[in-house]
Amino acid sequence: KAGVTQTPRYLIKTRGQQVTLSCSPISGHRSVSWYQQTPGQGLQFLFEYFSETQRNKGNFPGRFSGRQFSNSRSEMNVSTLELGDSALYLCASMTQGGGLNTEAFFGQGTRLTVV
Amino acid sequence: AQSVSQHNHHVILSEAASLELGCNYSYGGTVNLFWYVQYPGQHLQLLLKYFSGDPLVKGIKGFEAEFIKSKFSFNLRKPSVQWSDTAEYFCAVNPLGGSARQLTFGSGTQLTVLP
């Protein structure tokens, strides 16, 4: 079956702009999480959605937001972009709700460059 | 908050050498443990996981890891590395409890295998 699909793969934006990234999880997976990967901070959790509800949020400013649609596809939005937002944004899909014994499947990520 | 430590930032080995990458976590409760690998230009792939049971888990490509609860450790091993194992390796923890499915990652270990 198809894996996690993230679009676009690459983006270049200017400071102050906003950006929307998309993630389609594996068919049947209802949980989607987002992570930011940078050389300095590594992989950091942004937020997690399940059944269109945000259930967990990492320590990021309010400029970072997301949503999930009824088909489990998710989008994340970053407003008022800063140079420090340049990163690889990874989406992970998981099978179900419930904290036990679930593993995350990652997409290839969206490489965002802010200039 | 939980944290994950990977003490080796960059490891360089020759082919056929044995590998051990350290991973320690700080969390007092029950956890799921993972090792992910990221080959250049590719997405994070799951190498192996520990949910419960036998603390010695075997993963793909000849990798294994041992969970030592008393040491809060989950070290990754491979008896004989190949050039194709050159990649970045991430240890991750998912603390159980509640509905969270948030992975906390270590900072990663870059493995370079010399032919």
Side-chain angles (χ1 to χ4, degrees):
Chain A
K1 57 184 175 183
V4 180
T5 304
Q6 291 188 246
T7 57
R9 291 290 311 279
Y10 302 93
L11 267 178
I12 300 176
K13 290 287 188 178
T14 305
R15 271 183 304 174
Q17 287 187 309
Q18 75 165 20
V19 66
T20 299
L21 313 181
S22 179
C23 171
S24 293
I26 292 170
S27 177
H29 287 194
R30 295 167 62 195
S31 171
V32 173
S33 297
W34 289 88
Y35 292 82
Q36 182 196 63
Q37 185 177 19
T38 60
Q41 299 298 318
L43 281 148
Q44 294 187 289
F45 173 78
L46 279 157
F47 25 66
E48 186 233 352
Y49 287 87
F50 179 77
S51 292
E52 302 176 64
T53 301
Q54 185 184 92
R55 291 197 300 189
N56 202 10
K57 191 178 190 321
N59 188 24
F60 279 82
R63 300 185 296 106
F64 291 81
S65 62
R67 58 179 176 169
Q68 186 180 33
F69 302 94
S70 58
N71 61 357
S72 295
R73 189 177 70 86
S74 176
E75 290 181 347
M76 68 163 281
N77 184 277
V78 188
S79 62
T80 319
L81 284 166
E82 300 176 0
L83 294 179
D85 297 332
S86 295
L88 181 66
Y89 290 88
L90 295 170
C91 169
S93 91
M94 288 168 281
T95 49
Q96 60 192 14
L100 291 178
N101 302 343
T102 56
E103 66 180 86
F105 297 84
F106 285 85
Q108 291 201 291
T110 295
R111 173 75 63 187
L112 171 65
T113 302
V114 182
V115 297
Chain B
Q2 65 271 12
S3 64
V4 180
S5 297
Q6 291 182 244
H7 305 294
N8 312 104
H9 296 294
H10 195 178
V11 172
I12 302 174
L13 295 172
S14 297
E15 275 194 316
S18 63
L19 170 72
E20 181 159 2
L21 301 182
C23 172
N24 289 89
Y25 65 94
S26 64
Y27 183 74
T30 304
V31 295
N32 287 162
L33 296 159
F34 306 86
W35 275 97
Y36 283 89
V37 60
Q38 190 172 35
Y39 298 102
Q42 296 191 26
H43 62 284
L44 280 170
Q45 300 174 39
L46 183 67
L47 268 181
L48 46 78
K49 62 195 177 197
Y50 174 79
F51 287 160
S52 63
D54 189 343
L56 184 62
V57 293
K58 294 189 184 301
I60 61 171
K61 305 186 181 186
F63 286 91
E64 64 179 33
E66 184 176 13
F67 170 51
I68 303 179
K69 189 174 181 180
S70 60
K71 295 184 178 180
F72 298 90
S73 71
F74 190 55
N75 292 354
L76 180 71
R77 300 195 291 248
K78 186 171 184 179
S80 176
V81 296
Q82 301 173 318
W83 176 79
S84 58
D85 293 325
T86 294
E88 190 156 19
Y89 292 79
F90 295 92
C91 180
V93 171
N94 180 14
L96 301 183
S99 61
R101 267 149 303 287
Q102 172 182 338
L103 289 172
T104 299
F105 284 88
S107 55
T109 297
Q110 176 64 50
L111 171 66
T112 301
V113 180
L114 304 175

